[in-house]
Amino acid sequence: MSSRSIRQASVLRRSSLALALAIGLGGSGLAVAQSTVGAIFGSATPGQTVTATSASGVTRTVTVDQSGRYTISSLPVGNYTVSLSSGGSTVSTRDNVGIRVGSGTEVSFNNPTNAGAAQDLSGVTVSANTLPSIDVTGVDSRTVITAQQLQKLPLARSADAIAQLAPGVVAGSSDFTSQATGRPLSSFGGAGVSENAYYINGMNVTDPLNGLGGIELPYGSIEQQEVLTGGYGAAYGRSDGGVINQIGKRGTNEWHFGAQILYTPEWARGTPRSTYYGDGYPGGELNGTLYQRRHDDKGWEAVESAYVGGPLIKDKLFMFASVEADRTQDKYTGLNSSAAQQTKRTYKDPKWYAKLDWNITDNHILELTAASTKHEYNGSNYEYNYDDFTRGDYLGQDVPTKTSAKMWIAKYTGYITDDFTVSAQFGKQITNIYQENVNNFPDLIPILGSTNQNPAYTGGAPITNANKVIQYTDPSHQTRGANYRIDLTYKLGDHTITAGIDNQRTQDLNDSTLMAPNAGYAWQYGRQNNPASEIADGEVDAPINYPGGQNGYFVDKYVQYTSASTRVEQRAQYIEDSWQVSDRWLVKIGLRNDQFTNYNPDGDAYITQTRPQWAPRLGFSWDVFGDSSFKVYGNAGRYYLALPTSVALRGASGSYYTKEYYTYTGIDANGYPTGLTPINTYQGAGVPYSANREYGQQPDPKTVTAKNLKAQNQDEYILGFDKVLNDQLNWGMKATYRKLNRIIDDVCDTDVLEGQAIAQGADVSGLRGCYFFNPGNAATFQLPNGTGGYQQVHITNADFGFPQPKRKYYALDTYLEHPFDGKLWGRITYTFSKSYGNSEGQVKSDIGQQDIAATQDWDYPSIMEYGSGRLPNDHRHQIKAYGSWQITPEWNVGGILQMASGSPNSCEGLYGPNQTVPAYNGNYYHWCGGVPSPYGSKGTTDWTHILSLNAEYRPSFADHKLAFNVNVYNVLNEQKATRLNPDYSDGNYKTPLSWETPRYVRFGITYDF
């Protein structure tokens, strides 16, 4: 970021209008998240002309209006030369004017307070770092990291790692990773990790299956990454978390190429801490014993990349292309058991990116972008002996997987007149999700829940076997997405009006799973703390009534499979007015209408949300002194979120999920139970039982959801300011409040559903196990009446007995920034925030449940008792500092410090003082040892402090084109547990589930020509 002086800024007035007008031009919505362009605006003498020219051949010329203002909008990001002409002669030039995505850069050539007086600036050339540093008309909350900054920061080379530099963005649960890259994800403003949107060059590339992550560019091909944490305009939606928008590099009028090699040796990695069973469960026999030895779980990584870019036809046609190969080899040691394994793992993560830019004329531009991300895994399994910590014989190949994602987009921008701009784009993405169905021990039955085995039969250590493969998946599984949008912008006096459509189709094809072992099931162990408590209230008997169940131990045959191909259609229309009320006040007023339709495998709609879903947006910016040195801004908006394609897999398709319950009197060497006695169910002893009535039947799409189902939506309010303190520092604060208004989840309380249906005279023979509804609201369901019609059943929230859903987030962010002055730049942020309520959103991070909008929470009211408190993504205090120092032309050092208070811990056990199971069998309730345990009330994990450093040497003898780099992540090698198991049982409660990444050192060599 450029450094600007107070003295220069004090004479640059009347800036707000120009950027406000730039906000919409080209249909890109500069103050919104998914923009690919920026603007240059400012003041000069009326009648003069201003020309902006980029190295990629883009040239735009405008005339200064009668008020002494001008705007050049919809400019691709990059550096520009801005020239002022009068009478055909250039009188002033500004070089190296940088444009950031979605923002405006002010370039003024005279004192607008006396705009009518011409100034003779002939031959003057001014460096861009004398320009004002505050974008006085931005009304959103964004962080933009440039390619130059990425080169100097010690980051983990992923989109989410970059995003976590922004205030209010924290690491998500380790149970959730990107479908496309396998990398960890982020939580924005307390929202679930599935509620974010990912973009490349203006195209939505979010995972269509679950909304987990998206396609990413090769790291060295990122020109800028924009991180939106709130407040974006009406042109965009489909996110109530945050937005990650990557802008790729493009060719220029000069040919450039380069290559880089990065290597992280195994010896330069810190040794991971081993995990021991938690000691929170009173009298637990496993307390404090070894859970997983992690000392050997490290390896090496090598990254090779190259790029080339330049003009195919000077000033007209440009290309840029890059490739990246990332290979990692390491080891992973399985959990401590009688059949423990160690796996030698290999990951391959290649990426490529290509872009063509055709300047058809100065007024018509065509852009073509294509990119690919792959994540491939192969492994070899070996026996592992926990007695002496040695690796044994080779057991066979681990299950290979490969996710291959590709996207392309074509975009046209036409500057039809000085006041009218058209933008149109169309793109597609395809992701192949492949798993090779390898099972080296298909005759063995996998063991689940081994920590719940009766220790009287195990000798104190869980007994398992070599088969770890539970399910096969269809190797032809694929997801698809298609985006198309049109944006029109018209400037009318002090108003810039934008309007358009924003449509998207996503598909999930051949998404099937089936049980992998030849037996067709897995053994799953469980335990009732109260042996006299029924396993499923009123449906599965208590274990105490059967041989071997006196202490509450039991086992079940676990069977689960699915098969579906589904799609989701999302359409939206919007209109927005950027109104310059006065020289210092800008108001943005927008309205968006979203429509969502979800289809089942037969192509029938089971969710239809096509009535108007109005999402108003209102923002303002006040240039307090009129000199771009002090801005006060605010924003209010509503954001809607559709359900992804995966929801139909169990919710609207013929899924099968059953258990057969037994007690046992022994366990053999393979972990199989012996001496089995079937436990009685409401359907009979030894009969498959499905708590949610999933027996493979295809549901009628008209009976899957509540008839009055509404889409999830959230309201957000932002108020903040940015101020130039002096010629070296900027300071700002921002307050954010978010309130989740409505969620979608499933309800499975068949007692209430059946009771209300009977009371209202409905036929219950077609009653399903679970239905999608809006928790906290009355719901009307349709049941088949046996004659081809339907009977409506109305159930109030009082009938269900649920609390009102709640997710609230408030935060106060403050920052201090030193813009780049040619040597030094840096930024420090502090965030105080609180995320609380009884629903995280679409996922449930504390237990790692990835059933989008079908979590356990709203299945039964007993699960929600005492369910309100601190939510899993709540980190009250966050401190982030990053920057770099160009010590000499040859030496640069950079660093990142990330500190955060811990996340809340929970305890989930059996229900009530008597520890019963009125809903599901297991520790699903907010009770701990018979005592109420509100959400997040069991303390927090420890503070984390991650310091990372980077040093780069570019020798002068190589003209600074050759660089040697060393990056040290987590210099202090801090390794603290970041999440603890809430399951109140021996071997689970308070056992660490994830850790900080140990220290590693990465070495690099780069050549840029």
Side-chain angles (χ1 to χ4, degrees), residues 381-398:
N381 293 325
Y382 296 83
E383 293 178 344
Y384 188 79
N385 190 338
Y386 262 90
D387 292 331
D388 57 7
F389 306 129
T390 57
R391 192 177 72 194
D393 295 336
Y394 174 69
L395 294 174
Q397 182 183 19
D398 200 9

Side-chain angles (χ1 to χ4, degrees), residues 681-729:
T681 74
Y682 78 100
Q683 293 183 317
V687 178
Y689 164 77
S690 177
N692 296 330
R693 303 189 182 187
E694 295 177 74
Y695 295 103
Q697 71 277 20
Q698 176 80 14
D700 184 333
K702 295 182 179 180
T703 67
V704 169
T705 75
K707 188 176 177 61
N708 56 336
L709 187 73
K710 301 294 192 300
Q712 176 172 320
N713 69 82
Q714 175 176 272
D715 288 341
E716 178 185 71
Y717 305 91
I718 296 171
L719 181 65
F721 72 85
D722 297 309
K723 191 176 191 313
V724 177
L725 288 179
N726 53 44
D727 60 356
Q728 294 184 337
L729 295 174

Side-chain angles (χ1 to χ4, degrees), residues 173-486:
S173 164
S174 59
D175 286 318
F176 302 93
T177 57
S178 169
Q179 178 71 61
T181 67
R183 301 279 188 170
L185 300 172
S186 304
S187 167
F188 285 66
V193 295
S194 66
E195 299 172 34
N196 305 324
Y198 293 74
Y199 283 76
I200 289 179
N201 285 357
M203 176 176 165
N204 191 325
V205 293
T206 309
D207 166 39
L209 184 62
N210 293 306
L212 299 176
I215 302 174
E216 298 182 14
L217 293 175
Y219 197 77
S221 298
I222 302 171
E223 178 65 29
Q224 294 182 12
Q225 177 166 309
E226 178 187 38
V227 183
L228 253 291
T229 53
Y232 45 92
Y236 296 94
R238 300 174 189 147
S239 166
D240 60 14
V243 175
I244 295 176
N245 181 30
Q246 290 189 334
I247 307 300
K249 293 182 177 179
R250 64 179 65 219
T252 67
N253 268 324
E254 294 184 3
W255 281 100
H256 294 276
F257 64 85
Q260 183 180 63
I261 297 175
L262 302 174
Y263 183 61
T264 303
E266 182 173 347
W267 58 262
R269 289 188 180 272
T271 299
R273 290 182 59 181
S274 292
T275 302
Y276 290 81
Y277 287 101
D279 57 4
Y281 187 76
E285 296 187 16
L286 295 174
N287 286 2
T289 61
L290 183 60
Y291 175 77
Q292 182 184 25
R293 189 174 191 270
R294 303 172 65 238
H295 285 67
D296 299 324
D297 294 358
K298 56 183 181 177
W300 57 266
E301 180 182 15
V303 182
E304 299 93 21
S305 60
Y307 71 89
V308 61
L312 298 176
I313 303 175
K314 190 173 182 181
D315 292 329
K316 286 290 183 181
L317 186 62
F318 306 86
M319 63 83 65
F320 183 92
S322 66
V323 293
E324 177 182 286
D326 188 340
R327 181 184 177 94
T328 302
Q329 287 190 1
D330 65 8
K331 293 181 285 292
Y332 175 82
T333 306
L335 307 184
N336 185 2
S337 73
S338 62
Q341 297 180 6
Q342 187 176 81
T343 304
K344 294 181 64 176
R345 308 185 301 183
T346 299
Y347 292 95
K348 297 178 182 179
D349 295 274
K351 298 183 179 74
W352 60 261
Y353 165 72
K355 191 171 193 301
L356 285 175
D357 293 275
W358 181 18
N359 301 330
I360 305 171
T361 69
D362 286 346
N363 295 322
H364 301 278
I365 299 174
L366 181 65
E367 303 173 52
L368 298 176
T369 299
S372 171
T373 297
K374 291 183 180 180
H375 180 60
E376 183 177 354
Y377 166 75
N378 287 278
S380 299
N381 293 325
Y382 296 83
E383 293 178 344
Y384 188 79
N385 190 338
Y386 262 90
D387 292 331
D388 57 7
F389 306 129
T390 57
R391 192 177 72 194
D393 295 336
Y394 174 69
L395 294 174
Q397 182 183 19
D398 200 9
V399 178
T401 61
K402 180 169 68 173
T403 300
S404 177
K406 298 178 182 179
M407 61 79 67
W408 65 265
I409 181 175
K411 180 181 179 181
Y412 163 78
T413 302
Y415 310 105
I416 308 304
T417 69
D418 287 345
D419 297 325
F420 183 49
T421 304
V422 176
S423 176
Q425 67 179 46
F426 178 78
K428 288 187 175 183
Q429 69 178 101
I430 298 177
T431 302
N432 295 307
I433 306 170
Y434 172 79
Q435 174 180 302
E436 186 175 339
N437 292 322
V438 172
N439 191 349
N440 299 302
F441 305 95
D443 293 330
L444 293 175
I445 302 172
I447 305 300
L448 304 175
S450 60
T451 58
N452 291 320
Q453 292 172 337
N454 190 334
Y457 310 136
T458 65
I463 300 175
T464 61
N465 60 58
N467 189 4
K468 312 298 182 184
V469 183
I470 311 298
Q471 291 180 316
Y472 290 144
T473 65
D474 189 332
S476 63
H477 185 196
Q478 184 182 85
T479 64
R480 295 185 179 184
N483 289 242
Y484 60 97
R485 64 177 297 140
I486 298 174

Side-chain angles (χ1 to χ4, degrees), residues 85 144 192 202 215 282 339 363 368 445 510 541 602 695 785 833 989:
S85 298
V144 178
I215 302 174
N363 295 322
L368 298 176
I445 302 172
N510 307 316
D541 203 0
D602 294 330
Y695 295 103
N785 62 11
S833 63
Y989 187 48

Side-chain angles (χ1 to χ4, degrees), residues 577-834:
D577 180 18
S578 297
W579 175 27
Q580 192 69 41
V581 180
S582 69
D583 288 344
R584 300 187 183 186
W585 282 90
L586 168 71
V587 175
K588 288 177 58 70
I589 304 172
L591 187 64
R592 180 182 176 91
N593 178 26
D594 282 295
Q595 302 104 44
F596 310 136
T597 306
N598 295 59
Y599 295 88
N600 73 359
D602 294 330
D604 298 320
Y606 70 94
I607 295 178
T608 303
Q609 296 165 337
T610 54
R611 292 183 177 179
Q613 298 182 130
W614 300 114
R617 311 286 168 83
L618 176 64
F620 77 90
S621 176
W622 176 29
D623 185 4
V624 178
F625 301 130
D627 61 3
S628 304
S629 68
F630 185 22
K631 178 185 78 169
V632 177
Y633 64 98
N635 189 284
R638 174 165 292 180
Y639 304 87
Y640 282 89
L641 189 65
L643 296 183
T645 58
S646 65
V647 171
L649 198 58
R650 288 181 62 188
S653 307
S655 63
Y656 188 93
Y657 183 16
T658 66
K659 298 180 180 181
E660 295 177 34
Y661 291 96
Y662 302 86
T663 57
Y664 57 95
T665 58
I667 298 176
D668 69 14
N670 288 321
Y672 300 169
T674 60
L676 296 174
T677 302
I679 297 175
N680 196 33
T681 74
Y682 78 100
Q683 293 183 317
V687 178
Y689 164 77
S690 177
N692 296 330
R693 303 189 182 187
E694 295 177 74
Y695 295 103
Q697 71 277 20
Q698 176 80 14
D700 184 333
K702 295 182 179 180
T703 67
V704 169
T705 75
K707 188 176 177 61
N708 56 336
L709 187 73
K710 301 294 192 300
Q712 176 172 320
N713 69 82
Q714 175 176 272
D715 288 341
E716 178 185 71
Y717 305 91
I718 296 171
L719 181 65
F721 72 85
D722 297 309
K723 191 176 191 313
V724 177
L725 288 179
N726 53 44
D727 60 356
Q728 294 184 337
L729 295 174
N730 297 334
W731 172 55
M733 297 185 73
K734 179 190 68 173
T736 301
Y737 174 71
R738 287 179 163 189
K739 179 180 181 292
L740 190 63
N741 299 317
R742 184 181 288 119
I743 65 171
I744 296 177
D745 214 299
D746 61 342
V747 58
C748 307
D749 193 340
T750 51
D751 288 342
V752 171
L753 292 165
E754 184 172 356
Q756 289 294 319
I758 293 174
Q760 296 176 43
D763 180 359
V764 297
S765 61
L767 189 70
R768 289 174 44 77
C770 299
Y771 294 84
F772 291 107
F773 79 132
N774 296 124
N777 289 37
T780 300
F781 302 98
Q782 293 195 140
L783 272 64
N785 62 11
T787 61
Y790 302 91
Q791 167 75 48
Q792 292 191 2
V793 177
H794 183 75
I795 304 178
T796 68
N797 188 55
D799 295 330
F800 278 125
F802 285 115
Q804 290 296 314
K806 180 170 64 176
R807 184 183 78 192
K808 294 185 178 181
Y809 172 85
Y810 63 77
L812 182 64
D813 302 309
T814 184
Y815 76 89
L816 187 67
E817 180 181 45
H818 186 293
F820 185 56
D821 60 5
K823 287 192 173 183
L824 181 68
W825 71 273
R827 185 180 179 95
I828 302 174
T829 65
Y830 167 72
T831 300
F832 171 81
S833 63
K834 184 178 181 180

